[in-house]
Amino acid sequence: MSEIIVSTPVRNRFEELFHNHNLAKKTVALFDENTRELFGNEILDALNLQGFSVFELVVPARETSKSFRTAYRLYTQLIEADVDRSWNLLAVGGGVVGDLGGYIAASYYRGIPVIQLPTTLLAMTDSSIGGKVAINHPLGKNLIGFFHMPELVLIDPAYLKSLPQREVYAGMAEVVKYGFIADAGFLDYIDRHFQDIVAIKDPFISEAVRTSAAIKADVVEKDFREQSGLRATLNFGHTFAHGLEKLADYRHIRHGEAVALGMVCALHLSRRLETISDDDLERGLAILNKFRLSTRMVKKRFKDVLATALLESMHSDKKKVDKQLRFVLLEKLGKAYLHPEPIESNIVIAAIEDAKGRC
Ligand SMILES: NC(=O)c1ccc[n+]([C@@H]2O[C@H](COP(=O)([O-])OP(=O)(O)OC[C@H]3O[C@@H](n4cnc5c(N)ncnc54)[C@H](O)[C@@H]3O)[C@@H](O)[C@H]2O)c1
Ligand SMILES: [Zn+2]
């Protein structure tokens, strides 16, 4: 499993950390336009000062950079710069840069090491960990990719200070998710310190990031290729979320916003199947209520969605197995499981209606 370092300022430790992991001091530094502008100079200066050879790549800051066209352009730049398999790649950015950088690293010269330096809350707690890397195909997101474990994940929570609030809340959905699926004590911690965490205050933000990253890494390690159902629990709230994102044509709604709403639905579904108590339902909803979610528009759109339309959209998502939807439910706060049987449509619809009534 990759080592995860949480440290501020992590850039001062490149030489030491790369050395400990037998990584060459020859690094391709990949940024998007925003992370280049915000952190590029200080990271490149730190690499240069610590004696690295550096080759810099920059892509537009948008989801469409996770494309074959962009990857092809980057391969060309690397070949022209004589980058060979003795190099490694440092991906500095959110999930877009992390996924694209991981994809390039997994394929270039049959694979070079990748070091993730995530700069969004979602990337620090989710996308940089676990080795899933991919680009999109016009017919679907994340369809072309690899399992390519990062050699190192370098997390510096101070980078979150420039992150727009909406992105902070989007990442926070995954943080809360880890509490729900794996750690009731962590859920309590989030409940008590929610405002400090979203305000990026230490030690709260570092603690939240560290615990989330550790939970994700632990789940991935125990079920790397998604065989036992454990890794599937990371998809708590996501069956609903993917349906919502698809309905919105992946616009207007951030993934994390869809996940927060999806978790409200999943809590209600758990209650309807009587796997959790009323108390657990209310406690869970109280935490999710702290999301400003994030704009009123997102909530309003959710209320306007027909439950049947959402269910249909969920059915067309790629994560279905034999056309049956699979749901991750809670056994209690802090423990999730993959529900083994299909759930009748009318129960799912009722849970969506419950959720709409409570948003
Ligand atoms: N590989 C996985 O396991 C996995 C898991 C979840 C999501 N993902 C992928 O992650 C992507 C979404 O990632 P994301 O939410 O990080 O989005 P993102 O990478 O698009 O980043 C969001 C925005 O924030 C900007 N930004 C990044 N760091 C910043 C900072 N510190 N301050 C200010 N602005 C900053 C970016 O330039 C971008 O405009 C999707 O493509 C999704 O498919 C992958
Ligand atoms: Zn997610």
Side-chain angles (χ1 to χ4, degrees), residues 11 35-36 62 154 209 255:
R11 65 179 182 278
T35 58
R36 174 66 185 84
R62 50 174 186 257
L154 304 178
V209 166
H255 172 69

Coordinates of all heavy atoms in Angstrom, one line a residue, residues 11 35-36 62 154 209 255:
R11 N 6.3 20.2 0.7 CA 7.3 20.4 -0.4 C 8.7 20.5 0.1 O 9.6 20.2 -0.6 CB 6.9 21.7 -1.2 CG 7.1 23.0 -0.4 CD 6.7 24.2 -1.3 NE 6.9 25.4 -0.5 CZ 6.0 25.9 0.4 NH1 4.8 25.3 0.5 NH2 6.2 27.0 1.1
T35 N -3.7 25.1 -10.4 CA -2.7 24.7 -9.4 C -1.3 25.2 -9.8 O -0.5 25.4 -9.0 CB -2.7 23.2 -9.1 OG1 -2.5 22.5 -10.4 CG2 -4.0 22.7 -8.5
R36 N -1.1 25.3 -11.2 CA 0.1 25.9 -11.6 C 0.3 27.3 -11.1 O 1.3 27.7 -10.6 CB 0.2 25.8 -13.2 CG 1.4 26.5 -13.8 CD 2.7 25.8 -13.4 NE 3.9 26.5 -13.8 CZ 4.6 27.5 -13.1 NH1 4.0 27.9 -12.0 NH2 5.7 28.0 -13.6
R62 N -10.2 21.5 -16.2 CA -11.5 21.1 -16.4 C -11.6 19.6 -16.7 O -10.6 19.0 -17.1 CB -12.2 21.8 -17.5 CG -11.4 21.9 -18.8 CD -12.3 22.5 -19.9 NE -11.5 22.4 -21.2 CZ -10.8 23.5 -21.7 NH1 -10.9 24.6 -21.1 NH2 -10.1 23.3 -22.8
L154 N 1.2 12.6 -1.0 CA 1.8 13.7 -0.2 C 0.6 14.7 0.1 O 0.2 15.4 -0.9 CB 2.9 14.4 -0.9 CG 4.1 13.5 -1.3 CD1 5.2 14.3 -2.1 CD2 4.7 12.8 -0.1
V209 N -8.8 14.9 7.4 CA -8.1 14.4 6.2 C -7.4 13.1 6.5 O -7.5 12.1 5.8 CB -7.2 15.5 5.6 CG1 -6.3 14.9 4.6 CG2 -8.0 16.7 5.0
H255 N -20.1 16.5 -7.8 CA -20.2 15.1 -7.4 C -20.6 15.0 -5.9 O -21.4 14.3 -5.5 CB -18.9 14.3 -7.7 CG -18.9 13.0 -7.2 ND1 -19.7 11.9 -7.6 CD2 -18.1 12.4 -6.2 CE1 -19.4 10.8 -6.9 NE2 -18.5 11.1 -6.0

